[in-house]
Amino acid sequence: KLELAGYGKGAIGGVPMMDFKKMAEDAGLKIISSHVNPVDTSISDPFKAMIFKYSKEVTPKIMEYWKATAADHAKLGCKYLIQPMMPTITTHDEAKLVCDIFNQASDVIKAEGIATGFGYHNHNMEFNRVATKEQQEKVKGNPFAAFMKVGDQIYDLMLKDTDPSKVYFEMDVYWAVMGQQDPVEYIKKYADRIKVLHIKDRYVLGDSGMMNFPNIFKKAYEIGILGYYVELEGDKKGRTQFEGVEKSAAYLQAAPFVK
Ligand code: MG
């Protein structure tokens, strides 16, 4: 089973999407999930086209993107459609607007035939905090303010302000740890919201020693997780993706905690 990254304008990594689907199927792989980020299709530069600053004005462009993208992914037979990048959020108001747009996007996605709605994947910046004026005032002048947790974590606001019937979460356990969180606590606390996982380490699974995979898997099975994907990104030792995939698969196959 495969989760895509690299969809754009009816193609995947530049290959027409139905040809890509056939290539995957010929290799024994089924595409069930895809990472996509809203772009303004009127801008040709793919990086400049990415929409990060959400507003009422840009919402129709975002919905236009989701409509076409969801229709394409329904044709691919995709079950999960997931946004992997955080829009700009520096205040509670911005967080609320982003959550409203996620909810709205979910309706558009469902209408195109993807019943699971809108999925969201985190990195570490979702564990940054935003603080209201009142929250900032409370610690003003306190010499220990730098050590205090002031305000709310963006991820928690996303969980609070998105509709559970519309938006689910794909927790990337590695990026949660990089955000100084315990993914097990989140999986436990939000068992009804976290539906799928990114099982990821700094590179090859198990190599860094910083990921508590036994506890992560234990808790994930307990809540009835729907699935997980192994993700490889950012190797700095010159290994190929194939080596990384082989070694990570070997790690999971040998792990007594993986069912
Ligand atoms: Mg990930």
Side-chain angles (χ1 to χ4, degrees):
K1 287 175 183 168
L2 201 60
E3 179 176 74
L4 300 174
Y7 164 88
K9 291 183 185 166
I12 296 153
V15 178
M17 66 177 199
M18 295 317 273
D19 294 347
F20 190 96
K21 178 179 160 72
K22 186 169 183 315
M23 278 163 61
E25 281 167 0
D26 288 348
L29 295 165
K30 187 169 165 42
I31 300 165
I32 62 161
S33 180
S34 182
H35 274 202
V36 295
N37 216 73
V39 293
D40 181 339
T41 47
S42 65
I43 298 170
S44 58
D45 182 313
F47 291 102
K48 283 183 188 152
M50 287 176 89
I51 304 172
F52 286 111
K53 186 81 185 154
Y54 286 11
S55 64
K56 291 245 164 25
E57 292 67 40
V58 83
T59 304
K61 278 191 193 287
I62 295 172
M63 295 310 148
E64 194 184 303
Y65 174 83
W66 283 115
K67 188 172 160 48
T69 301
D72 277 353
H73 282 81
K75 283 183 205 146
L76 286 168
C78 212
K79 192 174 170 191
Y80 303 107
L81 197 49
I82 297 171
Q83 175 163 335
M85 302 288 280
M86 190 178 92
T88 306
I89 297 178
T90 56
T91 65
H92 282 75
D93 286 348
E94 282 177 352
K96 185 73 177 65
L97 175 72
V98 165
C99 290
D100 289 345
I101 290 174
F102 285 177
N103 287 334
Q104 209 180 318
S106 182
D107 293 338
V108 172
I109 292 166
K110 286 184 183 186
E112 295 302 322
I114 296 182
T116 51
F118 181 100
Y120 184 78
H121 161 281
N122 64 284
H123 289 90
N124 54 341
M125 59 282 251
E126 288 82 356
F127 302 102
N128 291 342
R129 285 171 186 273
V130 291
T132 60
K133 281 216 171 61
E134 297 76 51
Q135 286 171 328
Q136 289 167 10
E137 281 298 320
K138 268 190 191 163
V139 296
K140 211 175 170 186
N142 187 318
F144 298 106
F147 300 100
M148 294 165 78
K149 291 173 177 169
V150 181
D152 298 294
Q153 281 180 319
I154 293 164
Y155 200 72
D156 299 351
L157 295 175
M158 286 180 167
L159 282 156
K160 180 171 78 63
D161 290 332
T162 55
D163 181 338
S165 72
K166 297 178 197 277
V167 176
Y168 63 93
F169 291 80
E170 178 184 64
M171 176 164 258
D172 186 311
V173 296
Y174 169 80
W175 285 115
V177 167
M178 293 301 280
Q180 300 186 22
Q181 307 302 308
D182 178 359
V184 175
E185 284 299 315
Y186 268 96
I187 297 166
K188 189 166 103 185
K189 191 170 175 193
Y190 297 101
D192 57 336
R193 306 296 308 278
I194 297 172
K195 306 276 191 196
V196 280
L197 297 175
H198 264 193
I199 294 295
K200 177 173 150 49
D201 203 333
R202 187 163 287 139
Y203 192 59
V204 169
L205 294 187
D207 266 14
S208 76
M210 65 185 268
M211 298 301 300
N212 192 339
F213 287 121
N215 281 3
I216 289 168
F217 273 88
K218 184 167 178 271
K219 193 51 74 186
Y221 290 129
E222 267 175 37
I223 69 154
I225 203 86
L226 295 177
Y228 65 86
Y229 307 91
V230 173
E231 183 186 32
L232 291 166
E233 59 180 341
D235 183 39
K236 296 202 172 62
K237 291 179 184 163
R239 289 170 289 198
T240 66
Q241 285 289 92
F242 291 108
E243 285 174 89
V245 168
E246 267 184 0
K247 287 186 173 137
S248 295
Y251 172 81
L252 292 179
Q253 277 155 4
F257 51 83
V258 178
K259 285 181 193 165

PDB file of all heavy atoms in Angstrom, residues 135-146 148 150:
ATOM      1  N   GLN A 135      -2.996  36.106  27.809  1.00  0.00           N
ATOM      2  CA  GLN A 135      -2.037  35.054  28.188  1.00  0.00           C
ATOM      3  C   GLN A 135      -0.628  35.645  28.331  1.00  0.00           C
ATOM      4  O   GLN A 135       0.127  35.264  29.222  1.00  0.00           O
ATOM      5  CB  GLN A 135      -2.048  33.919  27.146  1.00  0.00           C
ATOM      6  CG  GLN A 135      -3.292  33.046  27.230  1.00  0.00           C
ATOM      7  CD  GLN A 135      -3.418  32.067  26.069  1.00  0.00           C
ATOM      8  OE1 GLN A 135      -3.002  32.346  24.956  1.00  0.00           O
ATOM      9  NE2 GLN A 135      -4.010  30.907  26.323  1.00  0.00           N
ATOM     10  N   GLN A 136      -0.285  36.587  27.462  1.00  0.00           N
ATOM     11  CA  GLN A 136       1.041  37.224  27.538  1.00  0.00           C
ATOM     12  C   GLN A 136       1.152  38.122  28.767  1.00  0.00           C
ATOM     13  O   GLN A 136       2.183  38.146  29.434  1.00  0.00           O
ATOM     14  CB  GLN A 136       1.308  38.041  26.263  1.00  0.00           C
ATOM     15  CG  GLN A 136       1.549  37.175  25.042  1.00  0.00           C
ATOM     16  CD  GLN A 136       1.497  37.949  23.734  1.00  0.00           C
ATOM     17  OE1 GLN A 136       1.452  39.178  23.717  1.00  0.00           O
ATOM     18  NE2 GLN A 136       1.488  37.234  22.634  1.00  0.00           N
ATOM     19  N   GLU A 137       0.053  38.843  29.052  1.00  0.00           N
ATOM     20  CA  GLU A 137       0.034  39.766  30.206  1.00  0.00           C
ATOM     21  C   GLU A 137       0.306  39.021  31.518  1.00  0.00           C
ATOM     22  O   GLU A 137       1.011  39.524  32.385  1.00  0.00           O
ATOM     23  CB  GLU A 137      -1.338  40.459  30.307  1.00  0.00           C
ATOM     24  CG  GLU A 137      -1.542  41.600  29.341  1.00  0.00           C
ATOM     25  CD  GLU A 137      -0.556  42.749  29.548  1.00  0.00           C
ATOM     26  OE1 GLU A 137      -0.256  43.074  30.710  1.00  0.00           O
ATOM     27  OE2 GLU A 137      -0.062  43.280  28.532  1.00  0.00           O
ATOM     28  N   LYS A 138      -0.264  37.825  31.624  1.00  0.00           N
ATOM     29  CA  LYS A 138      -0.165  37.042  32.854  1.00  0.00           C
ATOM     30  C   LYS A 138       1.271  36.785  33.300  1.00  0.00           C
ATOM     31  O   LYS A 138       1.544  36.644  34.487  1.00  0.00           O
ATOM     32  CB  LYS A 138      -0.869  35.678  32.669  1.00  0.00           C
ATOM     33  CG  LYS A 138      -2.314  35.691  33.098  1.00  0.00           C
ATOM     34  CD  LYS A 138      -2.864  34.270  33.125  1.00  0.00           C
ATOM     35  CE  LYS A 138      -4.382  34.298  33.302  1.00  0.00           C
ATOM     36  NZ  LYS A 138      -4.982  33.017  32.943  1.00  0.00           N
ATOM     37  N   VAL A 139       2.182  36.636  32.326  1.00  0.00           N
ATOM     38  CA  VAL A 139       3.564  36.287  32.674  1.00  0.00           C
ATOM     39  C   VAL A 139       4.513  37.479  32.531  1.00  0.00           C
ATOM     40  O   VAL A 139       5.718  37.345  32.733  1.00  0.00           O
ATOM     41  CB  VAL A 139       4.084  35.112  31.807  1.00  0.00           C
ATOM     42  CG1 VAL A 139       3.279  33.851  32.073  1.00  0.00           C
ATOM     43  CG2 VAL A 139       4.079  35.465  30.328  1.00  0.00           C
ATOM     44  N   LYS A 140       3.942  38.625  32.197  1.00  0.00           N
ATOM     45  CA  LYS A 140       4.756  39.811  31.984  1.00  0.00           C
ATOM     46  C   LYS A 140       5.542  40.141  33.259  1.00  0.00           C
ATOM     47  O   LYS A 140       4.968  40.207  34.353  1.00  0.00           O
ATOM     48  CB  LYS A 140       3.856  40.987  31.600  1.00  0.00           C
ATOM     49  CG  LYS A 140       4.539  41.965  30.673  1.00  0.00           C
ATOM     50  CD  LYS A 140       3.578  43.045  30.234  1.00  0.00           C
ATOM     51  CE  LYS A 140       4.326  44.137  29.506  1.00  0.00           C
ATOM     52  NZ  LYS A 140       3.443  45.257  29.204  1.00  0.00           N
ATOM     53  N   GLY A 141       6.837  40.323  33.107  1.00  0.00           N
ATOM     54  CA  GLY A 141       7.668  40.681  34.253  1.00  0.00           C
ATOM     55  C   GLY A 141       8.134  39.489  35.064  1.00  0.00           C
ATOM     56  O   GLY A 141       8.971  39.622  35.957  1.00  0.00           O
ATOM     57  N   ASN A 142       7.578  38.317  34.797  1.00  0.00           N
ATOM     58  CA  ASN A 142       8.009  37.119  35.519  1.00  0.00           C
ATOM     59  C   ASN A 142       9.390  36.709  35.008  1.00  0.00           C
ATOM     60  O   ASN A 142       9.583  36.486  33.815  1.00  0.00           O
ATOM     61  CB  ASN A 142       6.996  35.988  35.275  1.00  0.00           C
ATOM     62  CG  ASN A 142       7.288  34.757  36.119  1.00  0.00           C
ATOM     63  OD1 ASN A 142       8.446  34.353  36.258  1.00  0.00           O
ATOM     64  ND2 ASN A 142       6.261  34.178  36.679  1.00  0.00           N
ATOM     65  N   PRO A 143      10.392  36.640  35.914  1.00  0.00           N
ATOM     66  CA  PRO A 143      11.751  36.342  35.452  1.00  0.00           C
ATOM     67  C   PRO A 143      11.880  34.939  34.849  1.00  0.00           C
ATOM     68  O   PRO A 143      12.838  34.651  34.131  1.00  0.00           O
ATOM     69  CB  PRO A 143      12.601  36.453  36.727  1.00  0.00           C
ATOM     70  CG  PRO A 143      11.636  36.319  37.853  1.00  0.00           C
ATOM     71  CD  PRO A 143      10.323  36.850  37.362  1.00  0.00           C
ATOM     72  N   PHE A 144      10.900  34.071  35.126  1.00  0.00           N
ATOM     73  CA  PHE A 144      10.956  32.699  34.584  1.00  0.00           C
ATOM     74  C   PHE A 144      10.065  32.526  33.342  1.00  0.00           C
ATOM     75  O   PHE A 144       9.831  31.411  32.897  1.00  0.00           O
ATOM     76  CB  PHE A 144      10.562  31.682  35.657  1.00  0.00           C
ATOM     77  CG  PHE A 144      11.491  31.702  36.836  1.00  0.00           C
ATOM     78  CD1 PHE A 144      11.097  32.256  38.055  1.00  0.00           C
ATOM     79  CD2 PHE A 144      12.788  31.195  36.715  1.00  0.00           C
ATOM     80  CE1 PHE A 144      11.967  32.292  39.129  1.00  0.00           C
ATOM     81  CE2 PHE A 144      13.662  31.224  37.783  1.00  0.00           C
ATOM     82  CZ  PHE A 144      13.256  31.778  38.998  1.00  0.00           C
ATOM     83  N   ALA A 145       9.591  33.652  32.805  1.00  0.00           N
ATOM     84  CA  ALA A 145       8.649  33.591  31.673  1.00  0.00           C
ATOM     85  C   ALA A 145       9.192  32.753  30.509  1.00  0.00           C
ATOM     86  O   ALA A 145       8.437  32.032  29.853  1.00  0.00           O
ATOM     87  CB  ALA A 145       8.313  34.996  31.193  1.00  0.00           C
ATOM     88  N   ALA A 146      10.515  32.821  30.302  1.00  0.00           N
ATOM     89  CA  ALA A 146      11.109  32.093  29.172  1.00  0.00           C
ATOM     90  C   ALA A 146      10.968  30.578  29.325  1.00  0.00           C
ATOM     91  O   ALA A 146      11.041  29.841  28.342  1.00  0.00           O
ATOM     92  CB  ALA A 146      12.583  32.472  29.020  1.00  0.00           C
ATOM     93  N   MET A 148       8.312  29.181  30.853  1.00  0.00           N
ATOM     94  CA  MET A 148       6.895  28.850  31.038  1.00  0.00           C
ATOM     95  C   MET A 148       6.218  28.580  29.705  1.00  0.00           C
ATOM     96  O   MET A 148       6.596  29.130  28.681  1.00  0.00           O
ATOM     97  CB  MET A 148       6.188  29.983  31.774  1.00  0.00           C
ATOM     98  CG  MET A 148       6.700  30.131  33.201  1.00  0.00           C
ATOM     99  SD  MET A 148       6.222  31.687  33.938  1.00  0.00           S
ATOM    100  CE  MET A 148       4.536  31.359  34.353  1.00  0.00           C
ATOM    101  N   VAL A 150       3.551  29.421  27.619  1.00  0.00           N
ATOM    102  CA  VAL A 150       2.566  30.487  27.508  1.00  0.00           C
ATOM    103  C   VAL A 150       1.737  30.291  26.241  1.00  0.00           C
ATOM    104  O   VAL A 150       2.295  30.117  25.156  1.00  0.00           O
ATOM    105  CB  VAL A 150       3.269  31.862  27.477  1.00  0.00           C
ATOM    106  CG1 VAL A 150       2.240  32.982  27.385  1.00  0.00           C
ATOM    107  CG2 VAL A 150       4.154  32.029  28.709  1.00  0.00           C
TER     108      VAL A 150
END
